Amino acid sequence: MGMPGPGMGMPGPGMMGPPPKRGGSGALIGIIVGGVLAVVLIIVAVVVVVAINSGPSTKERLTLASNELNTARAVTYKGSFSAGSDNLRGEMLVTKGGRATGQVDWTGDNVTVLSAEDKVFVKAPKDYWEDKLTSTVAERFLKEGEQWGQVRESELSVKFHEDLTPAALATEMRRLALRTGLTSTETTVGGEKAHKISTSLTTFYVSDGEEPELLRYEKGSSPRVSADVTVQSTRDGSGPIGQMRTTMGELTDSFDAGTTASNAAKPEFVSCDKGGAPCTVKVRVSSTRTGDSSVQVKVNFKLTSEQGGGRHYGNCEATGTVTGLTPVTVQCTISGGDWAKHGKKARRVWVSAAPMAIAATSADVRALQQGLDAE
């Protein structure tokens, strides 16, 4: 038999071969689709990793929040504070210079506290002060309603100026940030999302977001604290600081319950020749200074028809300054009122004098306000 001709067997040069099988085309598409799927999976994986790692770490949150405290003019606490036998509950403002004020329940007494320049002032009702003053001083100087006075610094065991300033909080937060293995749990404070960062004795609640700030502070060792925190920046601190300045202005002539003033001699008449006419009286007063270079005292003089009682004719007040061991003489003049009306009929007149140490003069108040302004 001969070789096959052009129309038989192998196709000729100009003829098309048979179409490729579908199976081969499907494999090619499958590779392409697989490639696309691989790309998609990689993109999804990148997105997930970015979402998990977004935002500051626990250590960074503490550091950023402490940086904000370092520039704060004050912080406001709302909660409870305790140390020793003292328990306070309420709201306190503490400045970067350690001055503190606020209205609190202090171990059962509803009072306003102001701590500044190593002095503690309290605004409280009459019954609060009756337990801290002698009966004579209480009778002469206490008024109905609330009144400012100074107590010994040792009576307030919570040391706001040492432990609760913005800088003190910032230092504690930075110390915690240095620890390894820090973790946080998500929670809320006042409806705001927060991160709870704890040790065995201390817990900070720091806000969520790129600019974390301290929202709450809890401490289990002295001073024990459980309070929400509002950071007062240099921009928005003028309101609370201004209120503190106003509060300081109320301290003028407040009494000092922790400093003793007493008569060094019996009170005397300087000139009182005619009943009902102006009557000048005097007394010599000494005082403990408790470390102060001088103590201003106020004396209340009282004229009565009998020694220690009887009819009250009138009274007057005057001040003096004790600068050493030598007593100071204080005197004033009683005139008008019941003395002018009824003193003419007096057969005998007695004078008594009750001295009191003054906690803050007008000059002292100005110094307190200037110290606050200089922070």
Side-chain angles (χ1 to χ4, degrees), residues 60-359:
E60 288 169 339
R61 287 187 187 282
L62 284 172
T63 302
L64 290 170
S66 69
N67 290 341
E68 185 194 26
L69 283 167
N70 268 336
T71 61
R73 188 168 185 191
V75 290
T76 299
Y77 297 91
K78 189 173 184 180
S80 62
F81 322 87
S82 59
S85 60
D86 288 334
N87 296 290
L88 290 80
R89 179 175 294 276
E91 187 169 320
M92 289 292 294
L93 174 75
V94 184
T95 70
K96 65 180 182 180
R99 294 163 177 84
T101 188
Q103 187 170 356
V104 295
D105 180 292
W106 183 354
T107 317
D109 294 306
N110 189 13
V111 298
T112 301
V113 176
L114 174 66
S115 173
E117 310 293 352
D118 298 325
K119 295 181 179 180
V120 178
F121 299 90
V122 177
K123 186 178 184 180
K126 185 177 181 180
D127 58 356
Y128 173 88
W129 292 116
E130 286 175 335
D131 294 335
K132 297 181 180 295
L133 301 172
T134 65
S135 58
T136 303
V137 171
E139 177 201 348
R140 300 289 183 90
F141 293 102
L142 286 183
K143 305 171 184 176
E144 296 299 330
E146 294 185 319
Q147 197 168 348
W148 279 105
Q150 181 182 342
V151 298
R152 290 186 178 91
E153 186 187 14
S154 59
E155 290 193 37
L156 181 60
S157 301
V158 181
K159 306 304 181 185
F160 290 96
H161 64 289
E162 294 177 1
D163 303 310
L164 294 168
T165 63
L169 283 183
T171 298
E172 194 166 353
M173 294 180 80
R174 286 195 300 269
R175 188 181 296 122
L176 178 58
L178 294 175
R179 299 180 63 161
T180 58
L182 279 179
T183 59
S184 65
T185 56
E186 291 189 0
T187 184
T188 59
V189 175
E192 183 174 353
K193 186 177 179 182
H195 295 261
K196 179 182 178 181
I197 308 168
S198 300
T199 66
S200 58
L201 293 175
T202 305
T203 302
F204 293 101
Y205 295 79
V206 181
S207 66
D208 191 33
E210 296 297 325
E211 298 181 0
E213 63 179 4
L214 182 62
L215 299 178
R216 183 172 174 80
Y217 175 54
E218 296 173 353
K219 187 178 179 183
S221 59
S222 185
R224 297 172 295 278
V225 181
S226 180
D228 291 343
V229 177
T230 302
V231 179
Q232 306 287 348
S233 71
T234 53
R235 296 184 301 276
D236 59 15
S238 58
I241 298 296
Q243 181 57 50
M244 179 182 282
R245 198 177 194 282
T246 300
T247 299
M248 288 177 172
E250 299 175 4
L251 299 177
T252 303
D253 288 342
S254 55
F255 52 81
D256 187 347
T259 300
T260 301
S262 58
N263 295 334
K266 293 182 178 180
E268 303 176 25
F269 292 97
V270 177
S271 61
C272 198
D273 301 328
K274 185 179 179 181
C279 183
T280 301
V281 290
K282 70 176 183 179
V283 71
R284 290 174 63 76
V285 179
S286 60
S287 174
T288 55
R289 294 198 306 275
T290 61
D292 293 326
S293 59
S294 63
V295 174
Q296 188 166 40
V297 294
K298 178 184 286 187
V299 181
N300 179 281
F301 293 92
K302 185 177 182 180
L303 292 184
T304 57
S305 62
E306 298 177 14
Q307 187 175 14
R311 181 166 193 152
H312 174 216
Y313 289 119
N315 64 314
C316 66
E317 291 182 351
T319 60
T321 303
V322 179
T323 57
L325 297 177
T326 303
V328 61
T329 298
V330 180
Q331 72 176 41
C332 66
T333 300
I334 299 173
S335 62
D338 283 349
W339 174 240
K341 291 179 182 178
H342 308 291
K344 297 175 184 179
K345 301 177 182 179
R347 299 181 60 183
R348 300 188 69 181
V349 179
W350 297 86
V351 59
S352 60
M356 175 194 74
I358 294 177

